[in-house]
């Protein structure tokens, strides 16, 4: 995205045109260009870094100031509090940059700005309400729906320390629905649905049976660190959420009997989407029914 100014809008003089004359900021007359109207958007909000930099996670869309323009990138790694590694997915190029070179990945739709923080897409008004609240947790940014008196983390209350394996294993029992993270090559980054058959308190492991479709159940003993409870997310929840999906949002795709983290590359008609995996560099065209939000579980205490 280049910064510019509209010099002449032919629509003011004639009807039916979709072109406008713009001049790019910081350049002379040679930078003037006649472009399609649908390539324009107003300048996005200017948020202080304190309102967003501590909330970005791997996979979140950002914009990088590079070669006199803002380029769409994704966060790969936080190296320090002020240094980040990002990837330009359209060009498969990585950059290690400072915080001053970044801003949120803005999406302008239907007259409203959206940004993605903590792998969740928010309208700008929603996000400003969240960051204006008293700090409740060092890790968790509450959803707008959580901003009620029922939230167990009241303003000023400190979040407990991360649970160790001995604490985490206590929450599981026979028949419990879980998801298990993949660790083999080709399975990293996915969450496979399973059901607990036995809890081994001494070894801190779970015997699970995979809920894979189209084959007989198979069992495996997995460490409790690889498991999380299956999200409490209904089809009705998903149908409402699917209406809000925006381009560049981080979501999870159900593929090959597991949930994989992907990015929405393009929103198509009838709630179909083109999504891409940054980790595996492949794309899929799918309906909304195979998508859900990105879930992040931090333990029985932190949620």
């Amino acid at each position: 995205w280049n910064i510019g100014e509209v010099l002449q809008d032919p629509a003011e003089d004639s009807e039916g045109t979709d072109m406008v004359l713009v001049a790019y900021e910081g350049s002379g007359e040679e930078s003037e260009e006649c472009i399609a109207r649908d390539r324009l958007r107003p300048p996005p909000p200017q948020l202080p870094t304190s309102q967003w930099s501590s909330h970005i996670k791997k996979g979140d869309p950002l914009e990088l100031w590079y070669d006199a323009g803002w380029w769409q990138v994704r966060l790969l790694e936080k190296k320090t509090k002020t240094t980040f590694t990002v990837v330009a997915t359209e060009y498969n190029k990585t950059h290690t940059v400072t915080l001053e070179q970044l801003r949120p990945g803005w999406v302008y739709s239907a007259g409203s700005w959206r940004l993605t923080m903590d792998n969740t897409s928010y309208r700008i008004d929603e996000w400003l309400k969240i960051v204006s609240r008293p700090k409740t947790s060092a890790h968790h940014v509450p959803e707008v729906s959580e901003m009620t008196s029922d939230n167990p983390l009241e303003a000023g209350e400190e979040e407990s320390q991360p649970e160790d394996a001995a604490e985490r294993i206590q929450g599981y029992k026979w028949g419990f629905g879980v998801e298990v993270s993949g660790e083999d090559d080709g399975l990293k980054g996915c969450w496979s649905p399973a059901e607990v058959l036995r809890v081994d308190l001494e070894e801190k492991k779970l015997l699970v049976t995979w809920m894979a479709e189209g084959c007989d159940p198979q069992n495996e003993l997995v460490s409790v660190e690889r498991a999380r409870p299956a999200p409490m997310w209904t089809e009705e929840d998903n149908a409402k959420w699917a209406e809000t999906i925006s381009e560049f949002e981080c979501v999870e795709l159900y593929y090959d009997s597991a949930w994989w983290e992907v990015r929405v590359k393009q929103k198509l008609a009838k709630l179909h989407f083109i999504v891409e995996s940054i980790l595996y560099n492949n794309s899929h065209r799918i309906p909304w029914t195979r998508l859900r939000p990105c879930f992040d579980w931090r333990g029985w205490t932190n949620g």
Side-chain angles (χ1 to χ4, degrees), residues 32-85:
E32 296 178 3
E33 184 181 8
C34 197
I35 64 171
R37 189 183 307 277
D38 60 10
R39 290 177 55 195
L40 297 177
R41 69 178 187 182
Q46 296 185 17
L47 291 184
T49 55
S50 60
Q51 291 188 341
W52 62 270
S53 61
S54 63
H55 300 292
I56 54 177
K57 292 173 59 177
K58 180 180 179 181
D60 277 347
L62 299 169
E63 292 177 8
L64 166 66
W65 181 254
Y66 178 79
D67 196 20
W70 289 102
W71 299 76
Q72 294 168 344
V73 297
R74 281 198 165 274
L75 178 64
L76 284 182
E77 181 185 6
K78 287 185 180 181
K79 301 186 80 67
T80 69
K81 288 185 178 180
T82 58
T83 308
F84 306 84
T85 299

Side-chain angles (χ1 to χ4, degrees), residues 86-106:
V86 297
V87 58
T89 53
E90 293 294 330
Y91 302 94
N92 197 29
K93 292 183 179 290
T94 60
H95 304 267
T96 297
V97 298
T98 62
L99 181 59
E100 289 73 22
Q101 295 170 267
L102 298 172
R103 70 181 186 185
W106 293 106

Side-chain angles (χ1 to χ4, degrees), residues 64-228:
L64 166 66
W65 181 254
Y66 178 79
D67 196 20
W70 289 102
W71 299 76
Q72 294 168 344
V73 297
R74 281 198 165 274
L75 178 64
L76 284 182
E77 181 185 6
K78 287 185 180 181
K79 301 186 80 67
T80 69
K81 288 185 178 180
T82 58
T83 308
F84 306 84
T85 299
V86 297
V87 58
T89 53
E90 293 294 330
Y91 302 94
N92 197 29
K93 292 183 179 290
T94 60
H95 304 267
T96 297
V97 298
T98 62
L99 181 59
E100 289 73 22
Q101 295 170 267
L102 298 172
R103 70 181 186 185
W106 293 106
V107 175
Y108 188 68
S109 176
S112 176
W113 286 102
R114 300 187 70 93
L115 73 167
T116 298
M117 293 285 125
D118 280 322
N119 292 163
T120 303
S121 177
Y122 298 93
R123 292 195 315 269
I124 180 60
D125 59 314
E126 295 173 337
W127 182 249
L128 290 177
K129 288 179 182 178
I130 290 173
V131 296
S132 65
R133 300 180 72 220
K135 189 174 182 181
T136 60
S137 164
H139 301 288
H140 176 61
V141 177
E143 298 284 353
V144 174
S145 60
E146 295 175 4
M147 295 163 50
T148 69
S149 59
D150 295 329
N151 190 349
L153 287 177
E154 298 295 341
E157 182 179 346
E158 293 186 0
E159 185 179 4
S160 60
Q161 295 298 314
E163 299 164 341
D164 59 22
E167 295 174 308
R168 186 163 289 195
I169 195 73
Q170 300 293 330
Y172 294 103
K173 60 183 179 180
W174 175 86
F176 203 94
V178 296
E179 294 179 346
V180 180
S181 62
E183 61 179 2
D184 297 332
D185 290 342
L187 294 176
K188 293 179 180 179
C190 79
W191 289 92
S192 301
E195 185 176 298
V196 176
L197 296 180
R198 188 179 74 246
V199 179
D200 190 329
L201 295 176
E202 184 176 346
E203 295 294 329
K204 315 297 187 298
K205 292 184 177 182
L206 303 172
L207 178 65
V208 301
T209 181
W210 303 111
M211 310 299 289
E213 300 173 347
C215 63
D216 294 333
Q218 298 185 22
N219 304 338
E220 184 176 346
L221 195 63
V222 301
S223 63
V224 71
E225 290 89 349
R226 291 177 55 199
R228 68 181 185 185

Side-chain angles (χ1 to χ4, degrees), residues 30 61 130 237:
E30 67 275 5
I130 290 173
D237 292 332

